[in-house]
Amino acid sequence: MRRKAFIDAARELFFANGYAGTTMSSIAGKVGGSKTTLWTYFPSKEDLFAAVVDDIVSQYGDALAIDLPLDKPSADVLRDFGNILISKLTATPLLSLYRLVVGEAERFPHLAETFYDRGPRRGKARAAAWVAEKMARGELRSGDPMRAVQQFAGLCQAGLYQFAVLGMSEGRDLSRLRDDVDAAVDTFCRAWQTQA
Amino acid sequence: MRRKAFIDAARELFFANGYAGTTMSSIAGKVGGSKTTLWTYFPSKEDLFAAVVDDIVSQYGDALAIDLPLDKPSADVLRDFGNILISKLTATPLLSLYRLVVGEAERFPHLAETFYDRGPRRGKARAAAWVAEKMARGELRSGDPMRAVQQFAGLCQAGLYQFAVLGMSEGRDLSRLRDDVDAAVDTFCRAWQTQA
DNA sequence: TCGAAATGATACCAACCAGTACGGCAGCGA
DNA sequence: TCGCTGCCGTACTGGTTGGTATCATTTCGA
């Protein structure tokens, strides 16, 4: 599939050089294809950019579809969920995509929305359903499930992840990222778990 | 001061068009100055970019130096702090700067570091000192003060602020942002405050 | 008033940009 | 063998880029 090859090359170049810093010729050159073919698939640079974001989002959008068992203790499920969350979020494809989308949010607001809709929003909706059930069972204090999920995600991303977003090397220390998650689980449970 | 005028114009254009999307000619044109003069102040585009980031950071770096009174109740201080924090963070200059720095983090890692050093790191250090004192007084459960501060900041930024970063209009609703802060204070106090 | 320093206007450079035009080459079904 | 489709290579356009060179003008202290 020629189209996919162009998207792959464009993804890597957009990640490395940003939108405005990437040239169509370099994309065509990277895949060994010709510019003519590139333009038959994507009528403009913007369309290619949208296709790249779409491709990653549809590829990784379900990556966070971790199953959330209702019968296991909340703390254990949250810890697993948090660890998978931040390990995916600090990995290259999603982190670079996030940087790209944030950096171009002002010029491509539409892409930022589809990014959020098909990524974070879906994941949070799934987690919120789990939280709602845990609330109904009385294991978690009742409240707004979505707010609880956002807070848990915020707690997980409050520490080293911020360094990762800014490209600092400290943000890549996986064991310390796990510490952040442990602390997030601890704080979340103190605030939301009903006393036994 | 001619130099400052160039920096101001460059800031607005970088915010609107990104680094690669902004031309030196447009900057010189915006201030009504000539390219020759521009190059006498900044030997290259990268230097201008660094000067812009430096200017904003030194201008707003102390904007979050809110005083944190030790004698008032923790919840009240945290609420005030949180509200000022997110109101500054969602305002145009700092939000646009954040987007710019994140977007260019891969190509200008040095700028991301100075941004963090002179901005978030200093603010968090001040807040951590306040938390440490509150812990020493027994009002907050003892633990890592820096982690507590990061968690509080994470909680404040866990809700609508994420929308603001992505440029979505929902993220600019100030009253709902205050709700996020209230919820953050509530959760934080449940997890960190010692029982009365 | 004088003269140096700072600034401005403009033309220019080589390189590069997104996007187009056009001709040719390989495969492939009929 | 024919014609079609998909792809490639390259040269081109009109425009822009960061950066330089040249010269005129303004500013301002002495």
Side-chain angles (χ1 to χ4, degrees):
Chain A
M1 197 63 154
R2 220 78 196 89
R3 183 189 156 90
K4 175 68 171 161
F6 282 125
I7 290 182
D8 289 341
R11 166 172 29 84
E12 293 185 29
L13 288 168
F14 280 141
F15 281 176
N17 309 113
Y19 175 76
T22 300
T23 75
M24 295 292 270
S25 299
S26 72
I27 295 169
K30 180 162 187 137
V31 301
S34 105
K35 294 171 65 173
T36 312
T37 314
L38 179 50
W39 257 276
T40 67
Y41 284 109
F42 309 98
S44 78
K45 189 181 180 181
E46 290 197 17
D47 290 298
L48 214 199
F49 187 51
V52 167
V53 174
D54 217 67
D55 180 69
I56 306 171
V57 157
S58 71
Q59 191 173 349
Y60 290 87
D62 297 324
L64 295 174
I66 316 134
D67 69 335
L68 299 160
L70 281 161
D71 48 342
K72 286 169 67 178
S74 299
D76 294 345
V77 177
L78 287 171
R79 193 174 348 262
D80 289 346
F81 180 72
N83 278 321
I84 296 182
L85 178 74
I86 62 119
S87 74
K88 300 263 184 189
L89 254 43
T90 55
T92 306
L94 281 185
L95 189 59
S96 294
L97 176 66
Y98 180 73
R99 287 209 199 102
L100 195 57
V101 168
V102 167
E104 304 292 339
E106 217 149 300
R107 288 167 295 284
F108 299 92
H110 176 64
L111 291 185
E113 280 179 35
T114 71
F115 165 80
Y116 188 82
D117 276 350
R118 307 194 202 172
R121 198 186 305 268
R122 283 202 301 193
K124 284 178 180 170
R126 287 188 72 253
W130 178 86
V131 167
E133 177 61 26
K134 284 288 190 183
M135 284 177 175
R137 295 190 183 189
E139 296 180 40
L140 293 181
R141 181 168 55 82
S142 70
D144 182 352
M146 183 55 81
R147 165 149 281 149
V149 167
Q150 286 178 339
Q151 289 196 337
F152 179 67
L155 286 169
C156 288
Q157 302 175 46
L160 277 189
Y161 175 76
Q162 296 299 323
F163 292 80
V165 169
L166 289 174
M168 301 192 238
S169 51
E170 301 136 278
R172 284 247 148 81
D173 188 330
L174 268 185
S175 74
R176 289 177 61 202
L177 281 166
R178 296 182 89 86
D179 293 343
D180 284 346
V181 172
D182 286 341
V185 171
D186 179 68
T187 293
F188 184 85
C189 287
R190 282 177 190 271
W192 286 94
Q193 216 164 36
T194 52
Q195 310 302 338
Chain B
M1 197 63 154
R2 220 78 196 92
R3 183 188 155 90
K4 174 69 171 160
F6 281 125
I7 290 182
D8 289 340
R11 165 170 32 82
E12 292 184 30
L13 288 168
F14 280 141
F15 281 177
N17 310 114
Y19 175 77
T22 299
T23 76
M24 295 293 270
S25 300
S26 72
I27 295 169
K30 180 161 188 140
V31 301
S34 98
K35 295 172 66 174
T36 313
T37 315
L38 179 51
W39 257 275
T40 67
Y41 284 111
F42 310 98
S44 77
K45 189 181 181 181
E46 290 197 17
D47 290 295
L48 213 200
F49 187 51
V52 167
V53 174
D54 217 68
D55 180 68
I56 306 172
V57 157
S58 72
Q59 191 175 348
Y60 290 87
D62 297 324
L64 295 175
I66 315 134
D67 69 334
L68 299 162
L70 281 161
D71 48 342
K72 286 169 65 178
S74 299
D76 295 344
V77 177
L78 286 172
R79 193 176 346 263
D80 289 346
F81 179 73
N83 277 322
I84 296 183
L85 178 74
I86 63 120
S87 73
K88 300 262 184 189
L89 254 43
T90 55
T92 307
L94 282 185
L95 189 59
S96 294
L97 176 66
Y98 180 73
R99 285 210 201 102
L100 195 56
V101 168
V102 167
E104 303 294 337
E106 217 149 299
R107 289 167 293 283
F108 299 92
H110 175 65
L111 291 185
E113 280 179 35
T114 71
F115 165 80
Y116 188 82
D117 277 348
R118 307 194 203 172
R121 195 183 311 267
R122 284 203 300 194
K124 284 179 180 170
R126 286 188 73 254
W130 178 86
V131 166
E133 177 60 27
K134 283 289 190 183
M135 284 176 175
R137 294 190 184 190
E139 296 180 41
L140 293 181
R141 182 168 54 83
S142 69
D144 181 352
M146 183 55 80
R147 166 149 282 149
V149 168
Q150 286 177 340
Q151 288 197 338
F152 179 67
L155 286 169
C156 288
Q157 302 175 47
L160 277 189
Y161 176 75
Q162 296 300 322
F163 292 81
V165 169
L166 289 174
M168 302 192 237
S169 52
E170 301 136 278
R172 283 249 149 79
D173 188 330
L174 270 184
S175 74
R176 288 176 62 199
L177 282 165
R178 295 181 89 88
D179 293 343
D180 284 345
V181 172
D182 287 340
V185 171
D186 179 68
T187 293
F188 184 85
C189 288
R190 282 176 190 271
W192 286 94
Q193 217 163 36
T194 52
Q195 309 303 338

